[in-house]
Amino acid sequence: MIEIDWYLALSAVLFTIGLVGVLIRRNAIVIFMCVELMLNAVNLTLISFSSYHGDVTGQILVFFSLAVAAAEAVIGLAIILAIFRNNLSVDITKVNLLRW
Amino acid sequence: MNYLLDLQSFLPGIIVAVAGLAAIMLEAFKKSANTSFSVTIGGIAVALLFAIQSLYGEAGTAFSGMIVYGGVGAFGSVVVLLGALFCVTISREYLRDLDLHNGEVYGMILFSTTGMLGLAVSNDLITLFISLETMSICLYVLAGLMKNEKIGAESALKYFLLGAFSTGFLLYGIALIYGATAATNLTEIAAAAQPTFLFLCGTGLLFVGLFFKVAAVPFHMWTPDVYQGTPTTITAFMATAAKSATFVAFVLVLTRMLPSSEIGDWQSVLQVVAILTMIVGNLIALAQDNVKRMLAYSSIAHAGYLMVGLAAGNEAGYAGVLYYLFAYTIMNAGAFGVIAYYERNHGLDFTEIDSYAGLGFKVPVMGVMLSVFLFSLAGIPPMVGFIGKYYVFAAAVQAGLIPLAIIGVLASAASVYYYLRVMVYLYFKEAHKEYSLKTPGFLFKWTLILLAVLTVYYGVEPVLPTSSLMELISSYYTV
């Protein structure tokens, strides 16, 4: 039996990788993938806690979070497509009309 | 289990959701945006009646404790529905001129409102998360309405990426709180909570997610860009209804999940955020030359005043926050409405302050109303904005947070400069060239007049012997 600490550590590491990715990458699609990584890291945390507590609430929340992530992906890719049509690029450093 | 009773307690949300489906279907099969518009107005109005009715009913929880009804939740629902109603009534003319008038817009507004209604009554972190996401995902779509304009797509992208990013924090916070207490229900969490490292981290992350949605400093960077790149009446919807819903959820989390100070000193955190938000929001607003962007920074500053009420952490503070949300919804929807009116005559760049020179005399009623709304936003009596500020700052003084109240009043005084600046341009500057303004439509004009009348009425109401709104709100916290 692997202890819960390891699962939590793994999901914390995944969350941090996603977080750093959002902050340093320049491609909108890669940033979006990093956000998805963060959400999935949280799902892992929820499942570990759910199993640790012997309580299903956490697993139910995971289903909701998957559905939300899917809805977000639909909208997100559509927005990135709109950006690509306007700018012919998904580089977020070129999306800079609005500032201050 | 009485499922019928459960459904009845969330009736406004159900009505709005059904109206949303109807609006989308009508657009798909009848291609008539006007029918969708009527359905939207009807749906929101009926939901509003039920919400007002439940204001005076008893309070409790439904759906096995997932939501609350009556009391705070009912008041939040009323404010959200009012914001949505006013934004929809002023949207039709404006969107027609932008050539964006189609039924899907109303569908998205209604689905988003459903999310907000859920958020305003959430008694469980799962409800809170799903409602917040229902609201946000529809708002991402609405932010990108002008998808063929570069700034429209840009604002949608910024809102989406940062919003999804903050969702990650919110959800991680929920997961850690769940891990620490084995519960997601707010009152069960309060019963099981210990100030462990896990619980404190979780609550902190949950707060980060909520701070982001209400645009509190230092999580405000998306606000001006999104507000500027979104069609103005939709911006009004985001700034009023979305913000109110999130603040009501914040009040519910603070009162139900963190009732005692033994599980972390969150009031201090809120104080720091309130001070930062008020100072940064007001200072940057001083330097804005675009009226829409100025209002975006002003909405950040108003989030700061609301945070003062939350930081006070007493009954008067929470009641003050609720009253302020009502006041803010009325006056801000009105201000954005008048700006939308000026803008739709001349296109998107007509929000620069220079172009407002001499406009006040063109259509006098619009100029006067913009002045009323801006006076109210600045907190000058006898407008509702003053009463709202008075309640939150008085609560802070009552809680012994005198420095916080002083900073708030000073920041509010500084804000008078940038609101009055717009009026100086409206009335005391010569126009560079002659503009012709269209006559406002019937619905548009009378919605704004109603908002202006409410702004003044609720500014004098507290001194009348029939004063009732604040007493009603206070009754939720004294029982």
Side-chain angles (χ1 to χ4, degrees):
Chain A
M1 176 81 184
I2 306 171
E3 284 186 27
I4 185 175
D5 302 17
W6 293 98
Y7 292 108
L8 294 184
L10 173 65
S11 64
V13 168
L14 283 177
F15 189 86
T16 316
I17 292 173
L19 178 70
V20 173
V22 173
L23 296 177
I24 65 171
R25 297 306 291 259
R26 290 285 164 260
N27 184 312
I29 296 181
V30 176
I31 293 178
F32 179 54
M33 283 158 60
C34 291
V35 169
E36 292 290 306
L37 185 62
M38 287 166 72
L39 291 179
N40 282 322
V42 178
N43 288 346
L44 190 59
T45 312
L46 278 169
I47 296 171
S48 338
F49 277 130
S50 180
S51 147
Y52 174 74
H53 290 306
D55 175 77
V56 291
T57 319
Q59 295 177 34
I60 293 168
L61 183 48
V62 169
F63 280 110
F64 283 124
S65 122
L66 287 175
V68 163
E72 228 162 40
V74 173
I75 303 297
L77 292 177
I79 290 173
I80 292 173
L81 201 62
I83 281 286
F84 183 76
R85 282 194 182 140
N86 280 317
N87 290 6
L88 295 181
S89 153
V90 288
D91 185 339
I92 53 158
T93 51
K94 298 204 173 93
V95 183
N96 55 7
L97 282 175
L98 300 165
R99 46 175 58 189
W100 287 106
Chain B
M1 289 271 189
N2 192 340
Y3 291 103
L4 220 54
L5 212 64
D6 281 353
L7 288 178
Q8 200 192 344
S9 61
F10 193 52
L11 203 53
I14 295 170
I15 293 171
V16 170
V18 172
L21 290 173
I24 292 258
M25 284 297 147
L26 283 170
E27 170 68 17
F29 290 110
K30 285 191 71 181
K31 292 268 174 239
S32 156
N34 275 329
T35 327
S36 297
F37 174 75
S38 318
V39 168
T40 307
I41 294 282
I44 295 178
V46 173
L48 188 59
L49 289 181
F50 280 109
I52 289 174
Q53 189 201 11
S54 65
L55 263 186
Y56 299 94
E58 54 183 303
T61 59
F63 289 106
S64 316
M66 296 288 276
I67 66 162
V68 294
Y69 62 86
V72 185
F75 189 77
S77 306
V78 171
V79 173
V80 164
L81 286 166
L82 278 178
L85 183 66
F86 292 134
C87 295
V88 169
T89 46
I90 57 176
S91 278
R92 181 165 68 164
E93 266 189 66
Y94 175 77
L95 292 178
R96 255 190 206 147
D97 286 349
L98 281 187
D99 211 9
L100 288 172
H101 186 247
N102 40 40
E104 288 93 344
V105 178
Y106 297 120
M108 281 300 144
I109 289 179
L110 286 168
F111 292 143
S112 184
T113 311
T114 313
M116 292 167 192
L117 290 172
L119 198 54
V121 298
S122 53
N123 190 35
D124 192 294
L125 292 179
I126 298 182
T127 325
L128 189 140
F129 171 68
I130 297 166
S131 310
L132 193 77
E133 283 307 298
T134 313
M135 172 183 102
S136 305
I137 287 174
C138 297
L139 286 182
Y140 303 151
V141 181
L142 289 170
L145 266 189
M146 299 192 289
K147 62 179 186 298
N148 298 325
E149 302 270 346
K150 277 197 173 180
I151 63 165
E154 178 175 341
S155 78
L157 183 75
K158 284 183 173 165
Y159 197 17
F160 168 72
L161 284 180
L162 290 171
F165 187 52
S166 80
T167 302
F169 287 101
L170 184 91
L171 193 61
Y172 205 27
I174 293 175
L176 293 185
I177 292 171
Y178 172 67
T181 60
T184 56
N185 188 294
L186 295 185
T187 38
E188 282 172 30
I189 292 172
Q194 297 293 326
T196 56
F197 177 66
L198 204 56
F199 182 77
L200 294 180
C201 280
T203 317
L205 287 170
L206 179 72
F207 273 30
V208 168
L210 289 173
F211 283 151
F212 180 89
K213 292 291 174 197
V214 300
V217 178
F219 308 100
H220 66 290
M221 301 306 275
W222 59 277
T223 321
D225 294 355
V226 173
Y227 281 18
Q228 197 185 344
T230 308
T232 309
T233 53
I234 307 294
T235 310
F237 182 60
M238 285 178 185
T240 57
K243 185 169 276 192
S244 306
T246 319
F247 261 108
V248 175
F250 219 138
V251 169
L252 286 169
V253 166
L254 284 172
T255 50
R256 290 175 165 262
M257 191 177 108
L258 304 161
S260 75
S261 55
E262 283 165 22
I263 42 178
D265 186 11
W266 298 107
Q267 253 65 39
S268 311
V269 175
L270 288 169
Q271 273 181 51
V272 173
V273 173
I275 291 173
L276 279 176
T277 311
M278 286 187 297
I279 291 177
V280 172
N282 279 315
L283 278 187
I284 305 183
L286 291 176
Q288 296 305 317
D289 284 329
N290 183 309
V291 181
K292 217 164 148 186
R293 217 170 166 75
M294 180 276 278
L295 277 183
Y297 279 107
S298 113
S299 95
I300 296 174
H302 282 274
Y305 307 139
L306 285 156
M307 286 286 167
V308 172
L310 294 182
N314 48 15
E315 287 162 2
Y318 296 129
V321 167
L322 292 181
Y323 189 93
Y324 201 114
L325 288 175
F326 172 74
Y328 181 69
T329 297
I330 292 176
M331 59 197 182
N332 217 27
F336 274 113
V338 181
I339 287 170
Y341 168 70
Y342 286 145
E343 181 193 326
R344 72 195 181 84
N345 288 286
H346 294 282
L348 292 175
D349 49 346
F350 203 72
T351 45
E352 295 299 324
I353 195 160
D354 285 336
S355 46
Y356 278 51
L359 275 188
F361 299 110
K362 282 281 162 55
V363 179
V365 61
M366 286 293 172
V368 169
M369 280 194 293
L370 186 57
S371 311
V372 168
F373 296 131
L374 290 179
F375 269 127
S376 179
L377 283 167
I380 294 169
M383 311 289 174
V384 68
F386 167 75
I387 307 295
K389 276 193 186 129
Y390 169 77
Y391 283 137
V392 285
F393 291 146
V397 171
Q398 198 185 325
L401 305 172
I402 313 259
L404 186 62
I406 291 175
I407 293 174
V409 172
L410 288 180
S412 171
S415 78
V416 176
Y417 169 77
Y418 57 80
Y419 292 122
L420 286 187
R421 188 157 161 246
V422 177
M423 272 173 264
V424 168
Y425 272 86
L426 276 181
Y427 288 108
F428 300 111
K429 295 260 179 181
E430 291 290 321
H432 306 300
K433 57 177 183 184
E434 278 302 307
Y435 293 110
S436 61
L437 294 178
K438 297 174 192 168
T439 24
F442 176 81
L443 193 59
F444 192 90
K445 186 171 156 191
W446 284 98
T447 307
L448 290 181
I449 290 177
L450 174 66
L451 284 169
V453 168
L454 286 177
T455 303
V456 179
Y457 174 73
Y458 281 102
V460 283
E461 195 247 5
V463 288
L464 297 176
T466 55
S467 160
S468 56
L469 185 64
M470 193 58 190
E471 279 172 22
L472 179 72
I473 302 173
S474 304
S475 70
Y476 305 144
Y477 288 101
T478 45
V479 288

